[in-house]
Amino acid sequence: MPRLLASRDERELVSAQRWLAEQTSVDIAAELGRLKPELQAVAFRLLDKERALSVFEYLDPPHQADLLEALRDEHVGELFGSIAADDRAALLDEMPAKVASRLLRDLPQEDRRATSVLLGYPARSAGRAMLPVTVVLSSDSNREEALEKLQLRGEAFATVPVTDNSRRLIGMVNLADLVTAPAGTPVSDVLQSEKHRVYAHDDQEFAARLVQEADLLALPVVDEEDRLLGLLTVDDAMEILEDEETEDAYRSGGQEPLNEPYLTATVFTLARKRGLWLIVLIFAAFLTINVMEVFESTLEKVVVLSVFVPMIIGTGGNAGSQAASSVVRALAIDEVRPSDVFRVIWREVRVGFLLGVFLGAVIFPIVALLYYPQVAATISLAIVCICSWACIVGGMLPLVAKKLGVDPAVFSTPVVSTLVDATGLIIYFTIAGAIMAEQIAAAG
């Protein structure tokens, strides 16, 4: 958005209104997310009613929450009531408790009931993210009866659930298949060949992955008795996956997820999210310091070994981080599971060995020319061993974390690097002690 609303004089408001009229709802929502809440409210009031509702639906829940708080007028209830029940549930999670209660209380009874049902499911569950279904087809009906029912209710998804008289899920029907079927075709004849569904208490990421991998437009959500509760639509599934990947990216970088837009987060919030991890990593770094103290006498006798310490621990940390990133991503998309731990270890130790041999071969002649062959052999062999060990650690820890119910991304780059730093030094000095024993003894 151009430099609008800085002073909010009449010319700026006219310019802003002209700019808003030329943009799509998606573009407007993107630009509103970059403004402060009070400026969002000013720009939002320049939109006509229909456009405002469309833009509001495209905003992320944190921005929706900020905008509703900034508006504080009768328009708030209308905006809140205009979005789907699953979007209302996500928005209420971003609102202060008192504001959320007031918004929920002001909803029409049917909308309030639908939203309250979703809020009753655990956070991050499929039930919390689903859209309640009001239109289902009966397996006993035919094409004409089904289309008439859809037309009377005035709403339908691209795929429509089919249930029995007890609302137990039988399958899904593509609306396109139903429309193009011959007259009188039973609904049961146009059911999709595969019956996908998730339970309401299943993890939302698992459900979203299923939508993506099975190329579904909507995924049925059922209770323990297989009765239909709602649908997880493809657009909601993509948003869930985006949120999960954002969370993994934050944790892989050694900080807690923001859970709010970067530009609207306060400096204190940013520091708090990062500071906790830095404290943990500082204390973990004491492992490296302790190792250095243990081998202090060796370093004093062969000073040249200290020159290569940064390279050794850096190489190990980088190799471990690469392995951890690969395994965390493979876990996220269900390519590997905790039960595959030994397969992963065997694969990673070979990858690490090959990397170590390659790097050692590159380093050996350079170090041999600058110092002497024994130092070069020590460094090269240490790199081979440390790369192998780092890949084992980086590949194994995310799987162990997943088995323990901890987010695997927590055991990615920062944690793996810190652990490999300390253990890598032990490997380095042990190899140096074996290869350069005579020099160490002579220096002593």
Side-chain angles (χ1 to χ4, degrees):
M1 186 179 289
R3 286 199 59 184
L4 307 172
L5 312 175
S7 61
R8 303 185 216 180
D9 62 25
E10 184 176 350
R11 284 178 300 177
E12 280 201 343
L13 293 176
V14 171
S15 178
Q17 195 166 32
R18 186 183 305 116
W19 184 89
L20 292 168
E22 295 171 352
Q23 308 303 313
T24 65
S25 297
V26 175
D27 291 335
I28 294 172
E31 290 298 331
L32 286 182
R34 297 174 57 83
L35 297 176
K36 294 180 179 179
E38 60 271 18
L39 295 183
Q40 288 182 14
V42 173
F44 197 77
R45 287 193 176 95
L46 297 176
L47 298 169
D48 61 70
K49 179 180 177 180
E50 184 176 345
R51 195 78 181 283
L53 294 177
S54 176
V55 169
F56 187 77
E57 290 178 343
Y58 283 117
L59 290 171
D60 292 330
H63 288 313
Q64 289 178 333
D66 289 341
L67 181 58
L68 290 184
E69 286 199 76
L71 288 172
R72 297 184 182 279
D73 58 20
E74 68 283 351
H75 198 34
V76 169
E78 186 176 359
L79 286 172
F80 185 65
S82 69
I83 58 178
D86 57 332
D87 293 330
R88 283 198 296 268
L91 174 54
L92 289 173
D93 284 335
E94 303 291 338
M95 303 290 294
K98 290 184 178 179
V99 179
S101 298
R102 176 173 57 82
L103 289 173
L104 192 60
R105 184 181 63 248
D106 293 340
L107 282 174
Q109 183 176 355
E110 185 175 346
D111 290 339
R112 183 169 64 251
R113 184 189 63 81
T115 306
S116 297
V117 167
L118 297 186
L119 292 172
Y121 292 106
R124 306 175 75 87
S125 67
R128 189 68 164 264
M130 72 181 178
L131 186 64
V133 173
T134 58
V135 179
V136 296
L137 301 180
S138 171
S139 59
D140 298 331
S141 60
N142 59 30
R143 172 186 178 274
E144 285 69 33
E145 292 170 341
L147 291 176
E148 182 180 0
K149 183 176 184 179
L150 294 175
Q151 188 175 25
L152 287 174
R153 297 302 296 266
E155 63 174 292
F157 297 98
T159 57
V160 186
V162 178
T163 64
D164 61 16
N165 294 332
S166 299
R167 205 177 170 83
R168 287 187 174 85
L169 181 69
I170 294 177
M172 299 286 287
V173 169
N174 281 326
L175 189 56
D177 293 339
L178 187 64
V179 171
T180 57
T185 301
V187 167
S188 57
D189 287 357
V190 289
L191 285 173
Q192 292 179 357
S193 57
E194 295 186 7
K195 180 182 173 182
H196 297 286
R197 83 301 183 242
V198 292
Y199 295 105
H201 286 80
D202 285 345
D203 184 78
Q204 64 175 11
E205 184 179 5
F206 166 75
R209 292 284 176 202
L210 181 55
V211 171
Q212 182 186 53
E213 293 171 4
D215 294 327
L216 303 176
L217 295 175
L219 174 66
V221 181
V222 300
D223 63 13
E224 296 299 326
E225 296 180 2
D226 218 29
R227 289 184 298 224
L228 182 69
L229 299 173
L231 297 176
L232 179 65
T233 57
V234 64
D235 57 326
D236 289 333
M238 295 306 103
E239 289 183 7
I240 289 170
L241 293 180
E242 180 183 358
D243 290 343
E244 295 289 345
E245 288 168 4
T246 299
E247 183 177 294
D248 288 347
Y250 275 116
R251 287 191 169 137
S252 295
Q255 61 177 304
E256 282 300 298
L258 279 179
N259 298 324
E260 61 181 301
Y262 173 81
L263 289 177
T264 59
T266 65
V267 172
F268 176 78
T269 298
L270 292 172
R272 179 170 54 84
K273 294 289 186 177
R274 300 175 188 179
L276 179 62
W277 268 104
L278 290 177
I279 291 173
V280 172
L281 294 176
I282 282 176
F283 280 102
F286 277 109
L287 290 172
T288 304
I289 296 172
N290 290 335
V291 172
M292 295 287 287
E293 288 180 346
V294 170
F295 291 96
E296 185 177 1
S297 60
T298 302
L299 285 173
E300 290 176 350
K301 295 171 183 177
V302 187
V303 179
V304 69
L305 292 177
S306 63
V307 174
F308 296 95
V309 166
M311 183 186 71
I312 291 292
I313 63 176
T315 301
N318 290 337
S321 297
Q322 288 177 334
S325 298
S326 298
V327 175
V328 167
R329 183 58 183 165
L331 277 168
I333 57 179
D334 202 31
E335 288 182 349
V336 299
R337 298 172 184 173
S339 57
D340 297 319
V341 60
F342 293 111
R343 294 178 62 189
V344 171
I345 290 174
W346 174 233
R347 176 177 292 268
E348 287 297 334
V349 72
R350 288 179 292 166
V351 172
F353 179 78
L354 289 176
L355 289 172
V357 169
F358 170 72
L359 294 174
V362 172
I363 290 295
F364 184 87
I366 299 173
V367 177
L369 286 174
L370 294 175
Y371 297 94
Y372 43 91
Q374 282 182 307
V375 174
T378 299
I379 302 303
S380 297
L381 183 57
I383 286 178
V384 173
C385 295
I386 289 170
C387 281
S388 301
W389 169 243
C391 287
I392 291 174
V393 173
M396 180 178 64
L397 282 184
L399 295 172
V400 173
K402 183 73 171 180
K403 183 68 175 179
L404 297 176
V406 180
D407 188 346
V410 170
F411 289 91
S412 55
T413 304
V415 174
V416 169
S417 294
T418 304
L419 290 176
V420 171
D421 286 353
T423 53
L425 285 177
I426 295 174
I427 294 172
Y428 174 46
F429 289 123
T430 301
I431 292 173
I435 294 179
M436 306 181 67
E438 292 184 5
Q439 288 88 335
I440 295 172

